Amino acid sequence: MQLQQQMADTDNIKAVYLAADDLKIAASILYLAYHDDPLFVDIFQYDKEGYESRLRSAIREELNAFWTARQPMIGLFDDERLVAVACLMSPDPELGPSRFWHWRLKMLLTAGYFGTKQMVEKETIVRERVPAEHFHMLSLIGVHPDLQHHGLGHVLMSAIEGIMLEDPISQGVGMYVTLPKCLSFFEDGRYNLVEELEVGNIKGHLMFRPRET
């Protein structure tokens, strides 16, 4: 299914829902996006051997969980090449931080007990502080390093907004931002600062883009 979003200066870029065959490339893009993110560095213990493997496994299991739960995953394609990804949780009360048991068990096996526990705690804390009852949560977002600063992030923002507006019960989109350099990007996308939150040893900013009536 193609979303009605395109780059202003080219017809080659299109936003579509990801297919199963896209998940491997999507995982690679997100791995590069989050490799140095302070929250993931803390959760998956960068200073201990095997960090890269734990992070890759966690991202892979996240994408598999999104796919199994039929949650919206958006990809930007330059012709046939996937160049950017965004993953959202819909306002479904049954899809909380615990997700479902097989996801938790697979995360325990691949990312380890500490990483899995921290991921669940992070989502619980963040979701409880969002100033809405029914909302989308932007869990993962990444643009291929070779194509950053070319406006692709703003195309993703437009697609995310479109998904939110298509859901009549969604009151907006929440996002926990742990990289200070990304704050202006979300502010440009009309995400407002809710509060600074500390998760584990990391401080971040809870942002919320409200539905405009």
Side-chain angles (χ1 to χ4, degrees), residues 42-186:
D42 182 55
I43 287 177
F44 296 110
Q45 300 173 296
Y46 179 86
D47 58 338
K48 294 187 177 180
E49 184 178 355
Y51 167 74
E52 286 80 8
S53 177
R54 290 190 294 274
L55 179 60
R56 286 186 188 277
S57 297
I59 290 174
R60 184 176 63 247
E61 294 307 330
E62 279 284 270
L63 291 179
N64 288 337
F66 274 89
W67 178 259
T68 301
R70 299 182 179 180
Q71 295 301 287
M73 294 187 288
I74 309 163
L76 295 189
F77 286 82
D78 183 359
D79 290 330
E80 300 300 319
R81 181 192 180 196
L82 179 61
V83 295
V85 180
C87 303
L88 293 95
M89 293 293 291
S90 65
D92 188 333
E94 295 181 0
L95 293 171
S98 297
R99 304 285 167 78
F100 23 79
W101 281 107
H102 82 263
W103 173 84
R104 296 189 72 183
L105 290 172
K106 291 179 76 173
M107 280 284 285
L108 284 169
L109 291 172
T110 56
Y113 172 78
F114 181 78
T116 302
K117 181 173 180 289
Q118 290 285 86
M119 285 284 285
V120 173
E121 288 180 352
K122 184 268 290 187
E123 289 199 18
T124 301
I125 292 170
V126 170
R127 291 173 69 93
E128 285 178 348
R129 307 305 287 267
V130 173
E133 183 177 0
H134 303 290
F135 57 92
H136 284 83
M137 196 73 202
L138 180 54
S139 296
L140 298 168
I141 184 170
V143 176
H144 193 285
D146 293 343
L147 294 171
Q148 292 179 1
H149 310 297
H150 285 75
L152 294 178
H154 295 290
V155 179
L156 274 179
M157 283 294 194
S158 295
I160 291 165
E161 179 183 0
I163 288 174
M164 180 265 289
L165 293 174
E166 287 177 359
D167 190 326
I169 72 167
S170 183
Q171 298 167 276
V173 184
M175 176 65 182
Y176 184 57
V177 182
T178 51
L179 285 172
K181 67 180 182 180
C182 294
L183 284 176
S184 61
F185 168 71
F186 284 98

